[in-house]
Amino acid sequence: MSWIVLVISGVLEAVWATALGRSEGLTRLAPSMTFGVALVLSMGGLAWAMRELPVGTAYAVWVGIGAVGTVGWAMATGQEPASALRLLLVGLIVAGVVGLKLTQ
């Protein structure tokens, strides 16, 4: 169950990071509210997962999922360029996250 909560929390990290970028310095209400709610839920889920998972592993997986989700969304929506090199580097992050899960 901790892994499921951790993955959901990582996805919520991508949500709050994207919302923060769209909030224009927390001046737009809807993205700012999305940021706040997703941040609290993401951190809460991370804290809950860390009750059973090692801190280093949980944090690395959480950050990795959030980073891949954020950059993936930005590339899919055209906000950031997608190139073969960038996709390879994102793939390496995914491989690291999967590797951490497999060693746990």
Side-chain angles (χ1 to χ4, degrees):
M1 185 62 157
S2 293
W3 280 102
I4 294 168
V5 171
L6 184 62
V7 168
I8 293 168
S9 296
V11 171
L12 286 168
E13 184 195 1
V15 170
W16 69 250
T18 301
L20 181 60
R22 293 187 178 182
S23 73
E24 296 178 11
L26 300 176
T27 61
R28 295 181 57 218
L29 182 60
S32 297
M33 295 296 292
T34 301
F35 162 74
V37 170
L39 177 67
V40 168
L41 292 173
S42 179
M43 291 288 181
L46 175 62
W48 191 87
M50 283 183 177
R51 294 185 315 169
E52 294 182 10
L53 301 174
V55 172
T57 299
Y59 183 70
V61 169
W62 180 77
V63 168
I65 292 169
V68 168
T70 303
V71 75
W73 178 259
M75 285 192 281
T77 59
Q79 294 173 342
E80 291 188 22
S83 68
L85 180 58
R86 288 173 63 95
L87 293 172
L88 171 67
L89 295 170
V90 169
L92 290 172
I93 295 171
V94 171
V97 167
V98 170
L100 287 171
K101 167 60 174 125
L102 293 176
T103 61
Q104 186 56 40

